[in-house]
């Protein structure tokens, strides 16, 4: 009876040992899986940090480009303004010259009419004198 009891206790202890070994093996398997997942996650985090750093650098380059382009835009706008003023000034001078030219034409036409009138009068006077 004691022997049976001891054998039964031994069987229970061996069963418990097997369960504990299986449990330990399962826990070790879980630990390795978690460590693998952790390693993969760390690699992903590292890759994301690298990608973020690259994006930050790209954003900084783009911001510098924007500042440069805004500067060039301002310069171009100033140049356009100067050219527009120059064009307006030139147009004003052209209009003044056209007005002067028209006045000169009118003066010439008037002088020509007066010359014709004087030539006619002179011819008439010449004819009267000859009569």
């Amino acid at each position: 009876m004691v022997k049976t009891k001891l054998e039964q206790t031994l069987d229970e202890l061996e069963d418990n040992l097997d369960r504990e070994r299986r449990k330990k093996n399962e826990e070790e398997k879980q630990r390795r899986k978690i460590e693998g997942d952790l390693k993969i996650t760390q690699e992903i985090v590292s890759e994301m940090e690298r990608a973020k750093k690259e994006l930050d650098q790209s954003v900084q380059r783009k911001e510098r480009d924007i500042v440069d382009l805004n500067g060039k835009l301002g310069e171009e706008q100033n140049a356009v303004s100067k050219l527009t003023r120059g064009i307006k000034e030139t147009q004003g001078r052209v209009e003044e010259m056209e007005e002067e030219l028209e006045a000169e034409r009118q003066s010439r036409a008037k002088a020509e009419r007066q010359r014709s009138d004087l030539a006619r009068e002179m011819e008439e006077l010449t004819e009267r004198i000859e009569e």
Side-chain angles (χ1 to χ4, degrees):
M1 180 162 200
V2 172
K3 184 178 177 187
T4 309
K5 183 103 175 148
L6 285 173
E7 287 175 351
Q8 185 179 10
T9 303
L10 180 65
D11 286 344
E12 288 175 8
L13 288 174
E14 285 177 348
D15 286 344
N16 283 342
L17 180 63
D18 285 344
R19 276 195 298 270
E20 286 296 319
R21 282 182 183 157
R22 282 193 299 271
K23 184 178 175 186
K24 182 180 176 188
N25 286 339
E26 188 63 34
E27 287 173 354
E28 184 64 26
K29 187 177 175 183
Q30 285 283 339
R31 186 187 61 78
R32 283 193 305 269
K33 182 182 183 310
I34 290 171
E35 285 175 350
D37 291 348
L38 175 63
K39 184 177 179 184
I40 290 170
T41 302
Q42 287 172 334
E43 289 172 359
I44 291 170
V45 167
S46 293
E47 178 63 25
M48 292 177 90
E49 287 173 346
R50 186 191 62 73
K52 181 187 179 294
K53 184 177 178 182
E54 287 177 4
L55 287 173
D56 288 343
Q57 290 172 346
S58 178
V59 166
Q60 288 175 350
R61 281 192 304 273
K62 297 296 180 188
E63 287 173 346
R64 283 192 302 271
D65 290 347
I66 288 171
V67 168
D68 291 344
L69 290 173
N70 280 333
K72 288 178 184 177
L73 176 62
E75 291 171 6
E76 293 295 326
Q77 287 174 334
N78 287 338
V80 167
S81 294
K82 287 179 183 177
L83 289 172
T84 302
R85 278 193 305 270
I87 288 170
K88 286 180 181 179
E89 289 172 5
T90 303
Q91 284 175 335
R93 282 186 289 210
V94 166
E95 288 174 7
E96 287 174 16
M97 291 178 156
E98 286 175 345
E99 289 171 4
E100 288 175 13
L101 180 62
E102 183 58 31
E104 182 68 28
R105 284 182 185 151
Q106 289 175 358
S107 294
R108 282 187 182 188
K110 184 178 179 182
E112 187 62 32
R113 281 192 304 273
Q114 288 174 347
R115 189 189 66 77
S116 290
D117 291 345
L118 287 174
R120 211 174 315 114
E121 277 182 43
M122 196 168 125
E123 194 177 309
E124 288 174 6
L125 287 175
T126 306
E127 286 178 6
R128 282 187 195 165
I129 291 175
E130 291 176 357
E131 286 178 7

